């Protein structure tokens, strides 16, 4: 055995000597032709190209490697036998990836491509001493036929990156941000503070008219897929929603349902904590794409009633039109409210030049009194969709009954439907009365309690109308009797 190895080594050394001698004696041009012919022959018998993606590049974690790892985790369930499961800090679920030495076959446009996972360990020669540290190098290799190189580098790798980002975004934990204290910025913590967002609201559990709900969902889907469209028409990729209606009609729940539907983070903007327009701009710059910026009860935050004073230019030979009301308000705000948060600053925040510093953002305003808001603030283009959150109707009640009692029909539903047509009651009040107060709460008990609540609400509404009628009526004696009668009925139901 030893003699055979010695003989092979001797022959190999002789062959290398001969090849070196030929390289020196043969003309360079002839040698290049031989080398070219050898490469052609090699490509004929092994026509494959290999691309290597290392975990680290220039001492920094390679983002491409991370996205490929996420992508291959969804492709390895059938082919690979050895997988790894990891739980990342900001992920909702376990991340599955290829174990070292495993391979998986992917297919793209009818072309098969092979992915391999490698890990190498070698000593760190920069460390001198008795105990040397070991360096671990991880990488992925992509092997494919050379004739598909343009397709792989131009389309396939881009597809892998996009799919990896989409999977990563889908699995990330949502966060809700607050700007309660502007001093955080100066301590290096940024102007926003966040916690995990775990609100369970969805459109399935949202008590709302089904047709209106479907309209909102379709609008959200069109927006989330509208990157190319917004670029085509030359608009920033953002959309505004105005939620208005009486208290308790589900405006905050609607925001949570939208966030969960799109998997967006929420930035809860408190305007009273913003010192001036510059601070508002800084807050906007620190928000991320794929997020919802919310200003709740905007009519109560700061004075945004927009007391406008129309100005007229001096008369000339031709009578000129009054200045545009919006530009007039903005100039007045800039002159009189310098150094403060103004309506002009908020308008620029919504759809000014700086509003395009990020993509795929939704801005939501909520209010109980839409008539108090300046028309410039809620016009189309700023608040693109106005959504009225109205009182509870029968279709919304059925959603609540299914949520709280687990029933879709009951003999008492007919009576409840009749009462809902006669009174105005918020979904919040309905939900409170449907919620069982003890473990033995039966659906029929809760529904009867709800009917009693409706009857009391009906008497109260009649009583309030009678009081208003007494103030305006000439027959005060009759109005007084009506008020007293309603009061007695109210006491009976209590």
């Amino acid at each position: 055995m030893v003699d055979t190895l010695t003989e092979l080594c001797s022959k190999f050394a002789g062959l290398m000597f001969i090849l070196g001698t030929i390289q020196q004696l043969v003309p360079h041009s002839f040698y290049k032709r031989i080398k070219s012919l050898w490469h052609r022959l090699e490509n004929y018998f092994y026509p494959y190209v290999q691309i290597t993606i290392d975990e680290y590049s220039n001492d920094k974690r390679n983002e491409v490697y991370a996205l490929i790892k996420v992508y291959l985790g969804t492709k390895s369930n059938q082919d690979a036998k050895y997988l790894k499961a990891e739980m990342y800090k900001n992920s909702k679920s376990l991340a599955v990836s290829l174990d070292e030495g495993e391979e998986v076959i992917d297919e793209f446009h009818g072309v098969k491509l092979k992915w391999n996972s490698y890990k190498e360990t070698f000593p760190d020669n920069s460390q001198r001493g008795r105990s040397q540290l070991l360096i671990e190098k991880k990488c992925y290799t992509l092997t494919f036929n050379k004739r598909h190189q343009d397709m792989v580098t131009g389309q396939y790798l881009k597809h892998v990156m996009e799919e990896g980002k989409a999977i990563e975004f889908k699995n990330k934990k949502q966060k809700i941000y607050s700007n309660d204290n502007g001093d955080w910025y100066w301590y290096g913590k940024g102007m926003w503070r966040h916690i995990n967002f775990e609100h369970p609201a969805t459109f399935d559990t949202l008590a709302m008219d089904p047709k209106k709900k479907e309209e909102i969902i379709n609008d959200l889907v069109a927006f989330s897929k509208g990157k190319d469209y917004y670029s085509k028409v030359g608009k920033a990729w953002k959309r505004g929603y105005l939620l208005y209606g009486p208290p308790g009609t589900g405006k905050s729940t609607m925001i949570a349902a939208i966030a969960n539907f799109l998997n967006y983070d929420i930035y809860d903007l408190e305007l009273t904590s913003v010192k001036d327009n510059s601070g508002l701009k800084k807050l906007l710059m620190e928000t991320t794409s794929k997020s919802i910026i919310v200003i709740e009860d905007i009519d109560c935050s700061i004075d945004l009633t927009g007391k406008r004073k129309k100005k007229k230019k001096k008369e000339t030979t031709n009578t000129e039109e009054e200045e545009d009301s919006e530009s007039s308000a903005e100039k007045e705000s800039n002159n009189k409210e310098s150094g403060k948060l103004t309506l002009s600053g908020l308008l620029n925040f919504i759809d000014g030049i700086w509003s395009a510093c990020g993509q795929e953002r939704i801005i939501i305003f909520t209010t109980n009194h839409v008539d108090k808001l300046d028309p410039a603030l809620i016009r189309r283009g700023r608040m693109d969709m106005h959504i009225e959150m109205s009182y509870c109707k029968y279709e919304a009640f059925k959603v609540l009954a299914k949520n709280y009692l687990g029933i879709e029909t009951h003999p008492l539903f007919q009576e409840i439907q009749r009462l809902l047509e006669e009174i105005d009651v918020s979904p919040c009040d309905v939900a409170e009365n449907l919620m069982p107060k003890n473990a033995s709460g039966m659906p029929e008990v809760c529904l009867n309690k709800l009917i009693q609540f409706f009857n009391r609400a009906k008497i109260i509404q009649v009583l309030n109308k009678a009081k208003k009628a007494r103030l305006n009526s000439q027959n005060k004696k009759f109005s007084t009797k009506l008020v007293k009668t309603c009061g007695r009925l109210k006491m009976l139901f209590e």
Side-chain angles (χ1 to χ4, degrees):
M1 184 68 179
V2 175
D3 294 339
T4 304
L5 288 174
T6 304
E7 185 179 354
L8 287 173
C9 290
S10 177
K11 290 182 178 180
F12 182 74
L15 180 62
M16 294 300 295
F17 175 76
I18 295 171
L19 289 175
T21 305
I22 292 174
Q23 186 175 355
Q24 292 178 357
L25 297 176
V26 174
H28 183 67
S29 58
F30 184 69
Y31 174 75
K32 285 182 66 177
R33 289 183 180 180
I34 294 175
K35 190 176 181 180
S36 175
L37 182 63
W38 173 259
H39 282 307
R40 290 182 183 179
L41 190 65
E42 186 181 31
N43 289 337
Y44 179 78
F45 287 103
Y46 189 79
Y48 295 102
V49 175
Q50 190 175 84
I51 298 177
T52 301
I53 301 96
D54 292 322
E55 183 180 13
Y56 289 92
S57 177
N58 297 325
D59 297 328
K60 293 182 180 179
R61 187 169 180 82
N62 190 353
E63 184 182 353
V64 177
Y65 177 91
L67 293 176
I68 290 173
K69 184 176 182 179
V70 173
Y71 173 79
L72 292 180
T74 62
K75 300 291 181 179
S76 57
N77 295 333
Q78 296 180 353
D79 299 329
K81 295 180 180 179
Y82 300 99
L83 305 173
K84 292 191 299 183
E86 301 170 287
M87 188 68 182
Y88 298 112
K89 183 178 179 181
N90 294 321
S91 179
K92 292 180 182 177
S93 57
L94 287 171
V96 178
S97 60
L98 290 178
D99 201 356
E100 286 74 23
E102 270 294 330
E103 70 175 41
V104 64
I105 305 297
D106 193 16
E107 188 171 338
F108 184 74
H109 292 341
V111 177
K112 290 187 177 182
L113 308 104
K114 185 174 71 171
W115 286 97
N116 290 87
S117 174
Y118 288 107
K119 182 176 76 171
E120 295 180 0
T121 304
F122 51 91
D124 185 2
N125 295 325
S126 62
Q127 300 290 333
R128 294 183 179 180
R130 295 181 179 178
S131 58
Q132 279 190 332
L133 297 176
L134 295 178
I135 297 177
E136 190 178 77
K137 180 182 177 182
K138 296 180 181 179
C139 67
Y140 286 113
T141 59
L142 172 62
T143 306
F144 55 91
N145 196 297
K146 188 178 181 179
R147 66 175 180 268
H148 303 305
Q149 185 168 347
D150 292 338
M151 183 273 292
V152 171
T153 56
Q155 301 178 43
Y156 176 68
L157 289 179
K158 182 180 178 181
H159 163 75
V160 171
M161 297 299 101
E162 291 176 350
E163 287 293 311
K165 288 179 181 178
I167 297 167
E168 198 174 52
F169 173 75
K170 184 179 179 181
N171 292 332
K172 79 176 181 68
K173 286 183 179 179
Q174 293 170 266
K175 293 181 173 60
I176 181 168
Y177 294 79
S178 174
N179 67 312
D180 289 340
N181 191 340
D183 293 337
W184 290 330
Y185 179 80
W186 304 111
Y187 290 101
K189 298 181 180 179
M191 301 185 74
W192 296 98
R193 194 172 185 177
H194 71 267
I195 60 172
N196 289 336
F197 180 72
E198 298 176 348
H199 200 292
T202 65
F203 279 105
D204 291 334
T205 60
L206 185 64
M208 193 178 191
D209 179 68
K211 291 183 179 179
K212 187 183 292 186
K213 191 188 299 186
E214 184 179 1
E215 181 183 355
I216 297 168
I217 292 173
N218 291 338
D219 190 79
L220 291 170
V221 171
F223 168 77
S224 64
K225 296 180 178 179
K227 181 179 181 179
D228 295 336
Y229 175 78
Y230 278 84
S231 177
K232 177 183 175 182
V233 299
K235 290 187 64 176
W237 192 10
K238 63 181 182 61
R239 193 152 179 81
Y241 293 90
L242 174 67
L243 308 182
Y244 66 96
T249 50
K251 294 183 285 293
S252 298
T253 306
M254 169 66 80
I255 295 171
I258 292 175
N260 287 331
F261 181 75
L262 296 174
N263 202 35
Y264 285 5
D265 292 332
I266 296 178
Y267 288 86
D268 184 15
L269 178 58
E270 180 57 56
L271 290 180
T272 55
S273 298
V274 182
K275 295 180 180 179
D276 51 28
N277 294 339
S278 177
L280 189 63
K281 187 185 297 183
K282 289 177 182 178
L283 285 166
L284 175 64
M285 291 169 63
E286 288 197 16
T287 60
T288 61
S289 299
K290 295 182 181 292
S291 62
I292 302 173
I293 302 173
V294 177
I295 304 179
E296 291 198 88
D297 298 318
I298 190 169
D299 56 298
C300 303
S301 298
I302 57 174
D303 183 16
L304 296 174
T305 54
K307 298 176 182 177
R308 301 174 179 273
K309 295 181 180 179
K310 292 185 178 180
K311 298 179 181 179
K312 292 184 179 180
K313 294 183 179 180
K314 293 181 180 180
E315 293 185 0
T316 56
T317 52
N318 297 324
T319 305
E320 296 185 10
E321 296 181 354
E322 296 178 349
E323 291 186 351
D324 179 76
S325 58
E326 286 186 27
S327 60
S328 175
E330 291 175 4
K331 290 178 181 178
E332 185 179 352
S333 298
N334 289 331
N335 294 332
K336 293 187 177 182
E337 302 289 338
S338 180
K340 297 180 181 180
L341 179 60
T342 64
L343 175 61
S344 172
L346 186 59
L347 296 181
N348 288 328
F349 175 86
I350 300 169
D351 67 349
I353 295 176
W354 285 94
S355 68
C357 64
Q359 290 189 333
E360 203 170 349
R361 284 199 187 99
I362 291 177
I363 301 174
I364 298 180
F365 292 165
T366 72
T367 180
N368 296 334
H369 307 284
V370 67
D371 55 308
K372 291 184 178 181
L373 298 179
D374 192 287
L377 188 65
I378 59 175
R379 69 162 172 80
R380 305 292 178 177
R382 287 181 176 139
M383 293 294 105
D384 303 283
M385 194 171 186
H386 294 190
I387 303 172
E388 182 181 6
M389 307 298 292
S390 59
Y391 291 110
C392 185
K393 299 303 177 185
Y394 182 62
E395 292 298 328
F397 158 76
K398 289 197 295 184
V399 174
L400 292 173
K402 184 178 179 180
N403 293 343
Y404 287 89
L405 303 178
I407 59 174
E408 297 184 5
T409 183
H410 193 277
L412 292 174
F413 276 20
Q414 188 174 359
E415 174 67 11
I416 291 173
Q417 182 178 9
R418 183 186 64 80
L419 288 169
L420 284 172
E421 293 173 355
E422 299 176 358
I423 59 173
D424 292 331
V425 61
S426 68
C428 181
D429 289 329
V430 175
E432 177 62 25
N433 284 276
L434 285 178
M435 186 178 294
K437 302 302 180 184
N438 51 62
S440 61
M442 300 296 291
E444 189 169 350
V445 175
C446 296
L447 293 175
N448 279 317
K449 184 178 66 174
L450 180 64
I451 291 174
Q452 291 178 4
F453 170 77
F454 284 167
N455 285 321
R456 287 197 301 271
K458 183 177 179 180
I459 295 300
I460 292 172
Q461 290 182 14
V462 173
L463 182 61
N464 291 334
K465 290 179 181 179
K467 287 180 180 178
K468 290 181 181 179
R470 183 177 62 179
L471 295 174
N472 300 325
S473 176
Q474 295 180 355
N475 191 349
K476 293 185 177 181
K477 186 176 181 181
F478 172 76
S479 300
T480 303
K481 288 183 178 180
L482 180 61
V483 171
K484 290 181 179 179
T485 303
C486 292
R488 292 192 189 99
L489 288 172
K490 179 184 175 184
M491 292 175 64
L492 287 174
F493 280 102
E494 290 176 347

